[in-house]
Amino acid sequence: MSSAEWQKIEVLADRSYPVYLGAPLEELGDYLHSLPEKVEHILIISHQTVLDLYAKRLMKGLEDYRVNLLVVPAGETEKSLERLSQLTTAALRYGADRKTLVVALGGGVIGDLAGFFASVFMRGIRLIQVPTTLLAQVDSSIGGKVAVNHPAGKNILGAFHPPQAVWTDFTTLESLPWIEVENGLAESIKHALIADSDLFDFFETQVDGIKRRDPSIWRMMVTRSSSVKVRIVSQDEREQGIRGLLNLGHSFGHALETQMNYRGVTHGQGVSIGIVAAAHLANAKGLITLDEVEKIEQLLQHYGLPTTISGQDPQALLQRMQADKKNQGGRKILILPQGIGNAVISKDCLDSEILAAWHHVISD
């Protein structure tokens, strides 16, 4: 693909940056040459599986640079202060300094961990996100939010650290296991629910094409979904208002992930179940019809995403939600769908209402 066929969306922020769509891994080096501040040393942080697939292609364009690879084991549990310390030790061993550039090559876990490392190493160094999963391409690589987990909750320790650029190569999705595809689909459907009813219709009508991984349909899906994220982040970079809508399903989903110690449920599965719980809560508050709740459930099920979970204690999950970052003054702040294509920030949800929503998605 030539550069003329790439798409570029600009994230308008305190420090704006481009999201390149359809940009080949091999050509990242040429882009780095164009940056006003010279790059000499690069730390690529990734998983071994991802490096086995893509390191050779990425390194083709980085021959003019001093490059070191930092390999992180796979899994959400690696987003920890312990792993952050180990990355710091390795970076210093390789001579990293304030001019070093971090390249986060991978999915959401790598983007969060490598991004948080870049935000705190020597008070902050440059970062480029190279997302290789659907979830990362449509959501987590855009917006500058980086974090690690704490036993009390997911992403409790974090920062806003915008990248120099987001470099999205669609071909990395070709080898993606379907369970990883589901993670991204949950976030993409969330984007449709909060801000783009036409995108929701697209997901309803393109089930077969998406499931068979039709390249043109996937390109359209990633472009439209990431455009929603860019538009919202550009309006509210620091999550003081509208950006909070992107957390639809996440208060419930993060509680579930934390309760299960990030095992047995993926992020996308947690978000999917969380979206359904939020929809039931919205229905109880008169924001959405039961027919619309069922429509949401059916769409998620079409893509193999779960809408219920078994063996969980609603009271324990409610307790987990106490640690949610969005809460204010002891009140739980939840994002609820208002029809399909709109959402609202709700600050008046009672614990009894939240428990009732949990009961809707917890099966015996």
Short mmCIF file of all heavy atoms in Angstrom, two decimals, residues 7 9 21-22 138 170 217-228:
data_model
loop_
_atom_site.label_atom_id
_atom_site.label_comp_id
_atom_site.label_asym_id
_atom_site.label_seq_id
_atom_site.Cartn_x
_atom_site.Cartn_y
_atom_site.Cartn_z
N GLN A 7 -4.79 6.63 5.39
CA GLN A 7 -5.68 7.66 5.92
C GLN A 7 -5.05 8.25 7.17
O GLN A 7 -4.37 7.55 7.93
CB GLN A 7 -7.05 7.08 6.24
CG GLN A 7 -7.88 6.75 5.01
CD GLN A 7 -9.22 6.17 5.37
OE1 GLN A 7 -9.36 4.96 5.50
NE2 GLN A 7 -10.21 7.02 5.55
N ILE A 9 -5.99 10.69 10.51
CA ILE A 9 -6.95 11.42 11.33
C ILE A 9 -6.15 12.13 12.42
O ILE A 9 -5.30 11.52 13.07
CB ILE A 9 -7.98 10.48 11.98
CG1 ILE A 9 -8.62 9.55 10.96
CG2 ILE A 9 -9.07 11.28 12.70
CD1 ILE A 9 -9.54 8.50 11.57
N LEU A 21 -3.86 5.31 9.45
CA LEU A 21 -4.61 4.08 9.22
C LEU A 21 -4.15 3.45 7.91
O LEU A 21 -4.13 4.11 6.87
CB LEU A 21 -6.11 4.38 9.15
CG LEU A 21 -6.70 5.01 10.42
CD1 LEU A 21 -8.11 5.53 10.15
CD2 LEU A 21 -6.72 3.99 11.55
N GLY A 22 -3.77 2.18 7.98
CA GLY A 22 -3.27 1.49 6.79
C GLY A 22 -1.81 1.79 6.51
O GLY A 22 -1.37 1.67 5.36
N VAL A 138 -8.82 0.31 17.38
CA VAL A 138 -10.04 1.13 17.40
C VAL A 138 -10.18 1.94 18.68
O VAL A 138 -10.96 2.88 18.73
CB VAL A 138 -11.32 0.28 17.21
CG1 VAL A 138 -11.27 -0.50 15.91
CG2 VAL A 138 -11.55 -0.66 18.40
N PHE A 170 -3.18 -2.42 9.09
CA PHE A 170 -4.33 -3.34 9.11
C PHE A 170 -3.93 -4.80 8.94
O PHE A 170 -4.65 -5.70 9.38
CB PHE A 170 -5.33 -2.98 8.00
CG PHE A 170 -5.99 -1.64 8.18
CD1 PHE A 170 -6.14 -0.77 7.10
CD2 PHE A 170 -6.50 -1.24 9.40
CE1 PHE A 170 -6.75 0.46 7.25
CE2 PHE A 170 -7.12 -0.02 9.57
CZ PHE A 170 -7.24 0.84 8.49
N ILE A 217 -14.28 -4.56 4.47
CA ILE A 217 -15.24 -4.33 5.55
C ILE A 217 -14.49 -4.06 6.86
O ILE A 217 -14.87 -3.18 7.64
CB ILE A 217 -16.20 -5.52 5.69
CG1 ILE A 217 -17.11 -5.60 4.46
CG2 ILE A 217 -17.04 -5.42 6.96
CD1 ILE A 217 -18.00 -6.82 4.42
N TRP A 218 -13.41 -4.81 7.10
CA TRP A 218 -12.62 -4.57 8.31
C TRP A 218 -11.98 -3.19 8.29
O TRP A 218 -11.93 -2.51 9.31
CB TRP A 218 -11.56 -5.67 8.45
CG TRP A 218 -12.06 -6.87 9.18
CD1 TRP A 218 -13.25 -7.51 8.96
CD2 TRP A 218 -11.43 -7.56 10.25
NE1 TRP A 218 -13.37 -8.58 9.81
CE2 TRP A 218 -12.28 -8.63 10.62
CE3 TRP A 218 -10.23 -7.39 10.92
CZ2 TRP A 218 -11.95 -9.51 11.64
CZ3 TRP A 218 -9.89 -8.28 11.94
CH2 TRP A 218 -10.75 -9.33 12.29
N ARG A 219 -11.50 -2.78 7.12
CA ARG A 219 -10.91 -1.45 7.01
C ARG A 219 -11.95 -0.38 7.35
O ARG A 219 -11.67 0.57 8.08
CB ARG A 219 -10.36 -1.24 5.60
CG ARG A 219 -9.67 0.11 5.42
CD ARG A 219 -9.25 0.33 3.97
NE ARG A 219 -8.56 1.60 3.83
CZ ARG A 219 -7.25 1.76 3.88
NH1 ARG A 219 -6.47 0.71 4.08
NH2 ARG A 219 -6.70 2.96 3.75
N MET A 220 -13.16 -0.56 6.83
CA MET A 220 -14.23 0.39 7.11
C MET A 220 -14.59 0.37 8.59
O MET A 220 -14.80 1.42 9.21
CB MET A 220 -15.46 0.05 6.26
CG MET A 220 -16.54 1.12 6.27
SD MET A 220 -17.97 0.64 5.24
CE MET A 220 -17.14 0.33 3.68
N MET A 221 -14.63 -0.81 9.18
CA MET A 221 -14.98 -0.95 10.59
C MET A 221 -13.95 -0.23 11.48
O MET A 221 -14.33 0.53 12.37
CB MET A 221 -15.05 -2.43 10.96
CG MET A 221 -15.22 -2.72 12.45
SD MET A 221 -15.30 -4.50 12.79
CE MET A 221 -13.64 -5.04 12.35
N VAL A 222 -12.68 -0.48 11.23
CA VAL A 222 -11.63 0.15 12.05
C VAL A 222 -11.65 1.66 11.85
O VAL A 222 -11.54 2.42 12.83
CB VAL A 222 -10.24 -0.43 11.69
CG1 VAL A 222 -9.14 0.33 12.42
CG2 VAL A 222 -10.16 -1.91 12.04
N THR A 223 -11.79 2.10 10.62
CA THR A 223 -11.77 3.54 10.34
C THR A 223 -12.94 4.25 11.00
O THR A 223 -12.77 5.29 11.66
CB THR A 223 -11.80 3.78 8.82
OG1 THR A 223 -10.67 3.14 8.21
CG2 THR A 223 -11.77 5.26 8.50
N ARG A 224 -14.15 3.70 10.87
CA ARG A 224 -15.32 4.34 11.44
C ARG A 224 -15.29 4.32 12.97
O ARG A 224 -15.65 5.29 13.63
CB ARG A 224 -16.59 3.67 10.91
CG ARG A 224 -16.84 3.94 9.44
CD ARG A 224 -18.13 3.33 8.95
NE ARG A 224 -19.30 3.92 9.60
CZ ARG A 224 -20.56 3.65 9.26
NH1 ARG A 224 -20.79 2.82 8.24
NH2 ARG A 224 -21.55 4.20 9.88
N SER A 225 -14.86 3.19 13.52
CA SER A 225 -14.84 3.08 14.97
C SER A 225 -13.77 3.97 15.59
O SER A 225 -14.02 4.68 16.57
CB SER A 225 -14.61 1.62 15.38
OG SER A 225 -14.66 1.48 16.78
N SER A 226 -12.57 3.95 15.01
CA SER A 226 -11.50 4.80 15.55
C SER A 226 -11.84 6.27 15.37
O SER A 226 -11.44 7.11 16.19
CB SER A 226 -10.16 4.47 14.90
OG SER A 226 -10.22 4.61 13.50
N SER A 227 -12.60 6.61 14.33
CA SER A 227 -13.02 8.00 14.12
C SER A 227 -13.91 8.50 15.26
O SER A 227 -13.83 9.67 15.65
CB SER A 227 -13.74 8.15 12.78
OG SER A 227 -12.87 7.89 11.70
N VAL A 228 -14.76 7.62 15.79
CA VAL A 228 -15.58 7.99 16.94
C VAL A 228 -14.68 8.33 18.13
O VAL A 228 -14.87 9.35 18.81
CB VAL A 228 -16.56 6.85 17.32
CG1 VAL A 228 -17.26 7.15 18.64
CG2 VAL A 228 -17.59 6.64 16.21
#
